[in-house]
Amino acid sequence: MTEFVHIERGQWVLAFDEPYGPYVSEMSKHLEMFAARGGGWDSCRATEIFHVYRVDDVKPKTYFIDTEESVAHPRSYIKDRQPRSHVIAAGTTREAMIDLRDKIFAIGSETSDRIEAEMYRRVERFAPKERAKAIKKIHASLPHIFGKDAK
């Protein structure tokens, strides 16, 4: 089991929103998923996956938050009691936790952008040749539209 991040009343925490939390793996493995864009949730924003909360009270397995001071996606359903197993980091300021959230999320986005750019660069000469072959096959399959000499 992953050890909980030490948190205290009054601190700000960066935590996974409950649906995105580490349920099937250790926190370290779960966070490594963010080496790719969105950590597996490509269409989600950082504000949906990660929330920033101000801690009101700490219990052994949960903590209570000030829902008025949380930084979360507007459509998120936020409960005042959160699982400690979803806390990624704790700090003294809201801004520090937002910066950390954005940094974690940007790592995977930037990496995925570089990988995609390289992928398209490598396929640049290959793709037109393959498309030309496909057009020839379409022409050959439909001689009544493209003529009998289509190959």
Side-chain angles (χ1 to χ4, degrees):
M1 181 179 133
T2 304
E3 209 172 299
F4 294 144
V5 171
H6 178 76
I7 56 176
E8 295 178 6
R9 183 183 179 140
Q11 282 187 309
W12 286 87
V13 295
L14 174 62
F16 282 108
D17 186 18
E18 278 199 68
Y20 303 97
Y23 293 108
V24 295
S25 64
E26 295 283 321
M27 177 66 84
S28 58
K29 292 291 182 196
H30 197 66
L31 287 167
E32 286 176 349
M33 292 181 358
F34 288 90
R37 180 177 290 113
W41 298 282
D42 295 354
S43 61
C44 295
R45 296 183 175 122
T47 57
E48 293 175 80
I49 299 170
F50 302 107
H51 289 180
V52 175
Y53 302 120
R54 185 171 176 87
V55 178
D56 263 355
D57 194 16
V58 182
K59 301 295 181 193
K61 293 185 180 180
T62 60
Y63 65 102
F64 293 84
I65 64 167
D66 181 348
T67 56
E68 298 297 318
E69 290 197 62
S70 63
V71 179
H73 195 269
R75 292 188 308 265
S76 296
Y77 173 71
I78 300 176
K79 301 182 289 185
D80 63 346
R81 184 177 180 178
Q82 298 289 324
R84 287 189 61 193
S85 61
H86 287 48
V87 175
I88 300 164
T92 56
T93 67
R94 168 184 170 153
E95 291 73 24
M97 295 297 98
I98 291 171
D99 289 346
L100 181 58
R101 174 200 69 192
D102 294 345
K103 178 182 177 180
I104 291 168
F105 199 76
I107 290 168
S109 295
E110 292 165 1
T111 301
S112 292
D113 287 347
R114 286 192 305 275
I115 290 168
E116 286 175 14
E118 180 65 11
M119 177 184 70
Y120 286 118
R121 185 191 69 78
R122 289 179 181 225
V123 82
E124 194 171 34
R125 291 184 309 182
F126 174 77
K129 293 174 190 173
E130 289 301 307
R131 286 196 185 97
K133 289 178 190 176
I135 287 173
K136 285 182 181 180
K137 289 178 183 178
I138 289 171
H139 285 212
S141 298
L142 302 166
H144 63 284
I145 294 175
F146 296 103
K148 294 182 182 195
D149 296 329
K151 292 183 182 179

